[in-house]
Amino acid sequence: MSSSQSNVDYQHKPLPSSFTKIGTALLAIGLIIVIIGYFIDPTRAAFNNLILLMFLVSIGLGSLFLVGIEYLGGAVWSTPFRRITEFLASVLIVIPIIAIPVYMHMHDLYHWTHNEAVQADKLLKGKEPYLNLEFFTIRIVVFLLIWLAFYFLLTKNSKKQDTSKDQGLTKKNIKISAIFMPFFALTITFSAIDWMMSLEPHWFSTIYGVYYFSGTMLAALAATTYLLIYLNERKLLFKGLNQDHYYSFGALLFAFTNFWAYIAFSQFLLIYYANMPEETFWYLARWEGSWIVFSIGLIIVHFVVPYFGLLSQPSKMNPKRLKFMSLWILFAHFYDLYWLIMPTYNKEGIVFGWMELGFPLLAVGIVALMFGLKANKQNLIPVGDPKLIRGINFRL
Amino acid sequence: MSEKILHSYSGIFDTPDEIIHAAEKTVEAGYTKFDVNTPYPIHGMPKAMNLEPSKLGYAALVFGLSGTLTALFVMYWMAAIDYPITVGGKPFFAFPKYIPIMFEVTVLAAAIGTVSTMLFFFFKFPNNAHPLHDTSYMKKVSSDKYGLIIQADDPKFNEDEVKVFFASLHAKDVEPVYYDMEDINASPKIYDKKFIGGLALTFILVSGITYFTLNKLMFMVPFNWMMYQDKLTVQEKSSVFPDEFGVRAPVAGTVARGFMPYEFPNEPELAGEVLLNPLVPTEKNLALGKKKYDTYCSPCHGDFGDGDSRLRGQFPNPPSLHSEKVRNWSDGRIFHVITMGQNIMPSYSSQLTREEKWATVLYVRALERSKNAKESDLK
C-alpha cells in the first residue's frame, strides 16, 4: 500500500478514530429508533424506511455514476478524489439489506399490491402487467445485481491499479463505464418509478426519473465535497489541493442545484399548464394542509439557499462555505425525498417525530461507517492512476 | 509623414503557469500600466495582475433584473389588467407560466446589456483601433501563446530596464510595439463602405430569410402539417356522432355557463308588462347605453333615434323611436324588441348582454326625453 513508485507524496494514514466512533454511534442510535419504530408503527416506519432507502441509493448509485463518468469523460481534475466517490459507492452493498423491510411492507406502502383494489380500478388494471408483485420483485433484484456488479468491477480494477500501476486497467474501466451508462440511466429511472412513483399508482410523470437523478447527483457530489474537505483539513489527502479543485466541486454543486430546479419546475409547469385531473392531484396533495408550508419550504431549502450560497465565485472556492453548503444540500435531498414520499402516508399534513429523526441518523451512520471501513483499508487517492499527477496539478 | 510612437514592449510566454508567474513579477517590480493577452481566460490571472474585480458583473445584474421585472410587468399588465382573457382556466395573473418568459428575458437583457456595456463603456465604441492590433504579437497570443506588454506611459518605464526585466522572466520574442498618430486620428472604420455594406447585406439577408420562413416555408410540406389538427372546426364532419354534425347542440335541459334564457320569446305584451328595468339611469349606465346604442342601433335608427338610417337605402328605414307608440311602451317592451327583434329588425341577443340591453333601453329613454321633454324637465 505504499506509493514508492509514484512521484506523489502520499502516505496512507487511517481516519481519525472519532470518525468511525461517531459513525457507529449514529448507526446504533438510529438502528434502535428504527427498530422501536417498527414495533410501534410499522406503516410509518416503512415509509421512513423508503426515504432512507432512496437516500442511500442516491449516495451509492450517484457516486458510482461519478466514478463512471470520470473514466468515460477522461476527466483529470477529479481523479485525485475518485477514491472518495468509490468509497461512497460502497453504500450500494448495504442497499439490499435496507430494501428488505420495504419489501416486507409492500402492502402498507403500495396501493397497487392490493389485488381487489386493482381489479376494481380500470386504470390500475391497465397498469397491472407492469405493476404486479412478481415483476416488481424481479425488477428490483435485477437492479440491485446490476449496481453491485458494476460497483465491484469498477472498484476492483481501480484498487488493483494501486499496486500494479497498470494503465490497461484504466482502459478496461473506461469500457466498463461505457457499458454501465445505459444500464445506469435505465435502472435509476425505473427504480425511482418502482419505489417512489408507484406510491401513487394513478399518477405518472415522464420526467420523474430525471428528477430523481438530479437529486442523486447533488447528494453524491455534496457527500464527496464534504468528505474531501474533511480529509484535506486533516492532511489525509495529498499535498497541493488547490482552489481550482474546490472551485470545480462548488461549480458542479451550483450547476446541479440549478439543474434540479429546472427539472422540478418543468415537471410542475407542464402539469400546471395542462391542468389534467389525473396529473394535478399529485401537486394538490402537496398544496393542502400543512404540506403547503413544506412545499414552499422545498423551494427555499433545495434551491434558494444553495443558489445564493454558491452564487459568487469566492464562495465556490471557500472550503468553509463549501462544507456548510454540502451538508445543507444533503439535508435538502433528504427533505426532497420526504416531500416525494410522505404525503402518501399522511394526506392531512406533515408528520414529524422521533421516528423521522431516527432514520436520517441511521443514514448518516451507514454512510460514515461504509466510508470509514473502506478508507481505513485502502489508499485515499488512486496512487496508481496515470492521470493522478495531472489531476493534482490541475489548473482551470 | 507617419510618425512612429512607442506604445509598449511585448514578451511571449509558452505556458499559463509562466504567464501567471510573469504577471506576479511585473506587479512586484512596480509596473502599473501593463497588460496580459491570452488565447482564453486564465483562472487566477486577475489576482496575479493585482486587478480589482471587474465591475461588469454589476451591469449584468442590473440589466438582468430589469429584464425580469420588465417581463413580469408587461405580462401582468397585458394579461391581468389591460386585456384579461381566460387561458386554460388559469387565473389572469398566473405566475408559474410567466416564469419561463421572465427567465428568458432576464438572460436576453443581461447578455445584450453586458455586451453593450462592454462595447460602449469599456471599449469606447465606435473606436475600434488599438496599437496592438495587426501586430505579430497579437497573432501569437490569439492562437497558442501567452503574452505580456508593459506600456511606455508607465511612470517606471525605461526601455533598457524593461528589456532586462523581460529577459529575467525568460520571455521570448521581446519586441517594441509602435503606433502611428495617423492611425489614431483616422476616422473609425465603422463608417467604412465595406462595413456599412456588410451591415446592409446582413440586414437584407436576415429579413429575407425571416420573410421566407414565416410567409413561405411555414406553408410548405412538411412544415404546414402543424396547421392540421385532429380537432373539428366549424363546418367539418364528425366521425363520432351518427348525425355527423361537428358542432353539437347543448344537451337537452342544460344551459351554458352564465347564460340566462329569455322568458317571453313569443309574448311581447306580457314582456312589456312583467319585465322591469333593473338599472337606474346613472351616468355610468347611460354611458354604457350610449356606447352600445351608437354601435349597434344608430346605423339604422340614426344617432338620435329619428329613423334616419346611415345605410343609404340599402335597408328599409326603421320608424322613429320618438313615436307616441314607442314613448308609451314600457322599458320591458323595448327590451323585448332588442332581444327578439321585430319583423325585419334582427335580434341583438348575441351582441349584447342582459345588462347592456337594459342600459341601451335607458339611453333610448334619454333620447326620447330630449325630444319630448316633460313640462317638469324645463324647470
Side-chain angles (χ1 to χ4, degrees):
Chain A
M1 237 183 265
S2 80
S3 49
S4 50
Q5 282 168 20
S6 111
N7 18 7
V8 183
D9 178 20
Y10 172 75
Q11 270 298 319
H12 179 252
K13 279 174 259 163
L15 295 181
S17 59
S18 63
F19 189 91
T20 8
K21 269 186 203 150
I22 294 177
T24 321
L26 288 177
L27 186 101
I29 300 171
L31 204 59
I32 292 169
I33 298 181
V34 166
I35 291 173
I36 298 175
Y38 264 111
F39 272 110
I40 292 179
D41 190 344
T43 307
R44 185 165 165 184
F47 272 94
N48 274 303
N49 199 146
L50 187 60
I51 303 178
L52 170 73
L53 173 68
M54 293 319 286
F55 185 78
L56 293 180
V57 171
S58 293
I59 301 263
L61 190 59
S63 299
L64 192 60
F65 173 77
L66 288 180
V67 172
I69 205 82
E70 182 199 304
Y71 277 115
L72 206 52
V76 168
W77 68 274
S78 60
T79 309
F81 315 107
R82 199 184 62 233
R83 274 294 141 77
I84 301 178
T85 26
E86 279 175 20
F87 297 165
L88 282 172
S90 70
V91 170
L92 284 173
I93 302 173
V94 219
I95 301 282
I97 305 170
I98 309 292
I100 290 173
V102 169
Y103 190 74
M104 293 190 326
H105 291 85
M106 290 291 280
H107 276 301
D108 297 335
L109 290 166
Y110 301 106
H111 180 58
W112 53 265
T113 54
H114 298 264
N115 203 30
E116 340 68 71
V118 173
Q119 297 313 323
D121 190 320
K122 207 172 170 187
L123 274 176
L124 293 191
K125 223 170 138 39
K127 292 184 183 181
E128 207 186 354
Y130 181 83
L131 279 184
N132 60 65
L133 211 55
E134 293 74 34
F135 193 24
F136 179 91
T137 317
I138 295 173
R139 279 197 308 270
I140 298 297
V141 170
V142 170
F143 296 161
L144 293 173
L145 286 178
I146 290 176
W147 297 342
L148 288 174
F150 279 103
Y151 167 73
F152 283 118
L153 280 172
L154 282 171
T155 51
K156 192 191 75 196
N157 284 339
S158 169
K159 191 178 162 189
K160 220 198 267 170
Q161 208 175 32
D162 272 12
T163 41
S164 76
K165 318 268 172 198
D166 178 8
Q167 295 203 10
L169 289 171
T170 300
K171 273 201 178 142
K172 240 189 211 165
N173 265 1
I174 293 176
K175 276 191 200 129
I176 296 172
S177 304
I179 303 169
F180 172 56
M181 284 307 147
F183 280 107
F184 169 79
L186 291 174
T187 52
I188 193 172
T189 307
F190 283 101
S191 60
I193 291 175
D194 286 352
W195 268 326
M196 287 200 292
M197 201 167 100
S198 77
L199 284 171
E200 296 287 353
H202 294 106
W203 187 72
F204 56 91
S205 161
T206 45
I207 210 172
Y208 200 84
V210 185
Y211 180 87
Y212 177 63
F213 165 75
S214 68
T216 297
M217 278 302 86
L218 274 173
L221 280 168
T224 309
T225 312
Y226 178 80
L227 284 167
L228 101 86
I229 300 172
Y230 174 89
L231 295 174
N232 192 46
E233 275 170 354
R234 284 159 188 74
K235 308 246 177 317
L236 295 172
L237 284 176
F238 53 91
K239 283 204 192 81
L241 191 118
N242 62 50
Q243 294 219 313
D244 292 351
H245 289 125
Y246 284 140
Y247 183 82
S248 306
F249 279 101
L252 274 178
L253 283 174
F254 183 69
F256 274 97
T257 296
N258 285 301
F259 182 64
W260 176 87
Y262 184 85
I263 299 300
F265 180 70
S266 303
Q267 174 173 291
F268 168 75
L269 186 75
L270 288 194
I271 289 176
Y272 166 88
Y273 213 88
N275 207 7
M276 302 208 283
E278 66 264 39
E279 292 174 353
T280 48
F281 79 90
W282 193 84
Y283 277 102
L284 285 175
R286 282 154 182 76
W287 211 245
E288 266 158 20
S290 49
W291 284 117
I292 182 169
V293 183
F294 201 84
S295 298
I296 294 170
L298 180 70
I299 302 172
I300 296 166
V301 169
H302 212 305
F303 177 64
V304 178
V305 172
Y307 180 84
F308 287 103
L310 289 169
L311 180 60
S312 79
Q313 196 192 24
S315 63
K316 294 191 191 78
M317 304 192 282
N318 178 343
K320 259 194 202 136
R321 174 67 65 92
L322 276 182
K323 226 170 141 180
F324 174 76
M325 282 327 306
S326 42
L327 285 184
W328 180 278
I329 287 172
L330 284 171
F331 162 70
H333 185 54
F334 217 98
Y335 190 106
D336 184 22
L337 292 172
Y338 183 94
W339 179 78
L340 289 172
I341 291 170
M342 278 319 234
T344 308
Y345 170 69
N346 185 11
K347 301 244 177 317
E348 275 70 51
I350 308 170
V351 272
F352 192 81
W354 49 270
M355 215 193 279
E356 279 69 31
L357 278 175
F359 280 85
L361 291 186
L362 184 59
V364 179
I366 290 176
V367 175
L369 260 187
M370 289 311 286
F371 185 85
L373 278 179
K374 289 277 165 189
N376 283 335
K377 269 195 281 175
Q378 283 185 45
N379 287 327
L380 283 168
I381 58 174
V383 290
D385 196 294
K387 293 187 292 183
L388 181 65
I389 306 273
R390 277 195 292 151
I392 290 176
N393 296 331
F394 165 75
R395 286 278 177 292
L396 272 169
Chain B
M1 256 220 353
S2 81
E3 175 194 1
K4 296 258 181 215
I5 304 172
L6 182 63
H7 169 262
S8 56
Y9 256 78
S10 65
I12 294 288
F13 299 86
D14 283 332
T15 66
D17 280 343
E18 274 176 51
I19 191 76
I20 293 237
H21 175 75
E24 283 165 355
K25 283 281 173 229
T26 316
V27 173
E28 258 172 51
Y31 292 105
T32 46
K33 295 202 162 177
F34 72 100
D35 206 354
V36 167
N37 301 91
T38 56
Y40 57 88
I42 293 186
H43 273 245
M45 186 51 87
K47 210 176 133 204
M49 291 173 71
N50 202 14
L51 294 179
E52 301 261 302
S54 166
K55 300 258 181 308
L56 195 56
Y58 293 102
L61 181 72
V62 170
F63 281 111
L65 279 184
S66 58
T68 323
L69 295 178
T70 311
L72 177 63
F73 172 75
V74 165
M75 283 181 293
Y76 166 70
W77 186 76
M78 292 194 308
I81 295 182
D82 189 44
Y83 207 88
I85 328 175
T86 313
V87 179
K90 304 285 180 296
F92 294 131
F93 181 69
F95 186 67
K97 64 180 185 184
Y98 297 169
I99 292 180
I101 296 156
M102 282 161 61
F103 173 76
E104 301 294 344
V105 178
T106 308
V107 174
L108 186 72
I112 293 180
T114 312
V115 170
S116 307
T117 316
M118 215 160 75
L119 281 180
F120 287 93
F121 191 74
F122 290 103
F123 300 168
K124 311 208 163 38
F125 200 75
N127 172 24
N128 62 356
H130 192 280
L132 289 179
H133 285 177
D134 299 331
T135 57
S136 63
Y137 167 81
M138 197 36 89
K139 250 182 217 145
K140 284 177 212 149
V141 299
S142 49
S143 58
D144 63 345
K145 298 283 186 226
Y146 309 83
L148 189 142
I149 57 153
I150 299 179
Q151 279 170 232
D153 53 356
D154 190 297
K156 271 203 74 185
F157 187 85
N158 172 305
E159 236 182 297
D160 300 323
E161 272 177 28
V162 165
K163 273 191 219 160
V164 174
F165 177 66
F166 268 123
S168 77
L169 293 177
H170 308 294
K172 290 177 193 135
D173 304 334
V174 179
E175 56 189 15
V177 178
Y178 293 103
Y179 65 99
D180 257 327
M181 217 43 214
E182 229 172 73
D183 276 351
I184 293 297
N185 292 333
S187 75
K189 287 250 172 58
I190 184 171
Y191 303 118
D192 192 275
K193 274 197 195 95
K194 260 194 214 155
F195 182 73
I196 304 262
L199 264 192
L201 193 71
T202 317
F203 178 78
I204 293 170
L205 270 181
V206 169
S207 36
I209 292 172
T210 312
Y211 176 84
F212 175 75
T213 311
L214 295 182
N215 294 291
K216 301 275 177 267
L217 194 70
M218 297 302 285
F219 299 94
M220 289 177 187
V221 181
F223 303 103
N224 61 355
W225 290 351
M226 290 221 330
M227 285 191 275
Y228 301 110
Q229 299 188 357
D230 273 346
K231 76 171 183 196
L232 288 183
T233 50
V234 186
Q235 306 285 340
E236 278 177 358
K237 258 192 193 174
S238 161
S239 55
V240 177
F241 300 102
D243 62 6
E244 295 194 336
F245 276 112
V247 181
R248 309 302 300 171
V251 178
T254 62
V255 287
R257 233 169 209 246
F259 175 76
M260 275 274 263
Y262 183 56
E263 302 89 324
F264 315 104
N266 300 316
E267 296 147 306
E269 299 314 323
L270 187 62
E273 269 171 46
V274 179
L275 288 177
L276 284 180
N277 194 339
L279 301 184
V280 282
T282 57
E283 201 175 325
K284 203 174 144 222
N285 286 338
L286 282 172
L288 177 67
K290 176 173 165 52
K291 190 171 173 195
K292 295 301 165 191
Y293 179 91
D294 288 348
T295 309
Y296 294 112
C297 318
S298 73
C300 298
H301 285 278
D303 285 341
F304 303 104
D306 292 318
D308 50 345
S309 137
R310 290 202 296 274
L311 301 174
R312 297 164 196 270
Q314 293 182 35
F315 193 83
N317 275 15
S320 162
L321 294 178
H322 301 289
S323 66
E324 211 165 323
K325 173 177 135 204
V326 178
R327 281 200 337 262
N328 288 332
W329 273 0
S330 70
D331 282 5
R333 184 68 182 78
I334 302 180
F335 183 88
H336 179 88
V337 174
I338 304 177
T339 308
M340 298 310 299
Q342 176 177 308
N343 298 328
I344 59 170
M345 172 177 154
S347 154
Y348 279 82
S349 270
S350 53
Q351 289 91 330
L352 298 172
T353 65
R354 264 181 171 239
E355 196 194 340
E356 287 165 350
K357 283 184 217 161
W358 284 120
T360 312
V361 173
L362 281 182
Y363 185 68
V364 171
R365 286 293 180 225
L367 285 178
E368 289 172 351
R369 278 285 269 287
S370 70
K371 297 244 161 157
N372 295 285
K374 287 186 203 146
E375 202 78 32
S376 55
D377 290 342
L378 298 172
K379 281 187 189 149

